Amino acid sequence: MEREPQISMTVDDYDAATDSDCESLPASGFRRFGDFERIGMVRVEVDQAKYGVVDKLFRAGMGVLGQEVNVVALHMNSYTTIARHARLEAFRLYSRAVAVKRGGDANIRCGWYGGARDEILGIVNHGFGRCGDFEDRLSNGIGVYLSPANFPIDCAMRAKEDEYGVKHLLLCRVILGNTERIAAGSRQFQPSSTDFDSGVDNPFSPLQYTIWSAYMNSHIFPFFIISFTAPSLTVSGTSNFPCSPRVEFSVVMNVLSRFSSQMTLILKCYNDFQENKIGRPHLITRWRSLAGDKLLLLAIKICGIRPT
């Protein structure tokens, strides 16, 4: 697995996170983020080192694909409640246990998780309560999905705007241990053997981590909530989509499966194309209609393909 960008965060950062770190917010900030403070989140100010690290990590991951974002706020988790402190200690304990089992390396990474505001706050306050929603998209196993530190856009697209038009992502520390490849469409819900601890979509350059439900509250610990706006994430049709013969449809389709709610129809079109029921122009036209040009271009960029 490719090494993620360096980020100077460890669970030991929490030794300094106490109620005394909380500062009063301006009236506008309190209306938007008062519930963050009420559950013990600590506002990280722009001039603090942690803000710069997380902000740079997030912008770099979004910027690779040309996505402009405006970071509105950053909040850090704290363990001011008995339950949250217990979850932190459990994460430390399992980190050591997996390291012992895996030859000294627990393979701890940073991972993004996106959802609705209330879901994000609920996870910080009480832990994960459910696995991913597989109804409208292909699954990579039944578990909690997180994106690698250098690829926040998947989760950013899954995040939902709140009443203020702001989206929220969790930045977590994740115990991966030994990973195994989980094929698209898999309904696997636990490691295939005792040799593995978690799943990835691609063992060489993963775009998604799958943490099994049995481990979701011991192998994931939320560190930060980053709040942002990103108008460019609104997927809509545009013109002049480049149709290059070098585009490998199967590769692009695999990326689309992470974003599009129309995968059943997209897969049907691709199968019709493979069976020579429709031609290439018809396939491209149908995909443009189903996914939108902006999303297709995004998928091509992710694949590292340069259209002509």
Side-chain angles (χ1 to χ4, degrees):
M1 290 178 61
E2 219 174 72
R3 300 306 297 179
E4 69 181 25
Q6 277 296 322
I7 179 166
S8 55
M9 292 192 306
T10 71
V11 289
D12 294 327
D13 289 335
Y14 279 84
D15 292 336
T18 64
D19 285 335
S20 62
D21 293 317
C22 298
E23 298 179 7
S24 59
L25 298 174
S28 60
F30 183 80
R31 283 195 297 272
R32 285 193 290 180
F33 301 113
D35 48 354
F36 287 52
E37 188 173 305
R38 279 193 291 272
I39 67 167
M41 297 298 292
V42 178
R43 179 73 175 253
V44 182
E45 301 301 331
V46 177
D47 59 353
Q48 291 181 267
K50 289 184 178 66
Y51 188 102
V53 171
V54 178
D55 179 78
K56 182 179 180 180
L57 183 69
F58 179 63
R59 290 182 187 276
M62 299 293 286
V64 166
L65 303 177
Q67 300 298 318
E68 295 184 3
V69 294
N70 174 41
V71 176
V72 177
L74 180 69
H75 289 81
M76 186 173 76
N77 194 358
S78 65
Y79 55 97
T80 53
T81 67
I82 294 175
R84 212 174 299 176
H85 181 76
R87 286 196 294 274
L88 174 60
E89 289 304 313
F91 183 84
R92 286 172 166 160
L93 180 64
Y94 276 94
S95 298
R96 292 192 290 268
V98 173
V100 170
K101 185 169 62 172
R102 302 306 177 198
D105 183 9
N107 194 14
I108 299 176
R109 303 298 184 97
C110 288
W112 300 98
Y113 181 88
R117 176 194 183 104
D118 288 345
E119 180 189 6
I120 294 295
L121 292 177
I123 290 169
V124 172
N125 210 22
H126 305 292
F128 288 89
R130 65 181 181 87
C131 296
D133 183 359
F134 313 108
E135 185 176 340
D136 294 327
R137 57 197 290 271
L138 291 175
S139 71
N140 286 89
I142 301 175
V144 174
Y145 295 163
L146 298 102
S147 297
N150 61 356
F151 188 70
I153 191 167
D154 190 350
C155 289
M157 293 188 74
R158 282 189 241 155
K160 298 177 182 179
E161 290 187 355
D162 63 15
E163 60 188 296
Y164 301 102
V166 177
K167 293 185 174 186
H168 310 276
L169 292 184
L170 283 173
L171 181 59
C172 309
R173 293 299 277 175
V174 188
I175 304 169
L176 294 181
N178 279 355
T179 61
E180 61 181 308
R181 182 180 180 275
I182 309 299
S186 170
R187 303 299 291 178
Q188 183 175 333
F189 61 91
Q190 62 185 6
S192 61
S193 76
T194 56
D195 293 331
F196 302 108
D197 304 289
S198 64
V200 293
D201 59 336
N202 184 323
F204 302 106
S205 183
L207 299 181
Q208 183 172 273
Y209 303 143
T210 301
I211 306 300
W212 309 117
S213 59
Y215 302 150
M216 62 186 181
N217 285 314
S218 59
H219 286 47
I220 309 173
F221 189 81
F223 261 73
F224 295 97
I225 300 177
I226 191 166
S227 304
F228 67 99
T229 59
S232 59
L233 287 181
T234 302
V235 178
S236 59
T238 57
S239 59
N240 302 319
F241 178 73
C243 301
S244 168
R246 287 184 291 160
V247 173
E248 296 181 21
F249 290 121
S250 60
V251 177
V252 175
M253 187 172 60
N254 184 47
V255 176
L256 284 176
S257 70
R258 299 180 181 84
F259 301 109
S260 178
S261 62
Q262 302 293 327
M263 279 311 299
T264 300
L265 295 176
I266 289 173
L267 281 167
K268 183 180 184 303
C269 290
Y270 182 64
N271 290 334
D272 289 345
F273 171 72
Q274 286 188 308
E275 296 171 5
N276 296 318
K277 293 180 180 178
I278 61 174
R280 183 176 181 277
H282 189 184
L283 173 67
I284 292 173
T285 299
R286 289 289 293 143
W287 277 15
R288 291 177 69 177
S289 174
L290 291 168
D293 289 347
K294 186 174 290 187
L295 182 54
L296 285 175
L297 286 169
L298 173 62
I300 289 172
K301 289 181 179 180
I302 292 172
C303 294
I305 299 171
R306 295 294 179 266
T308 57

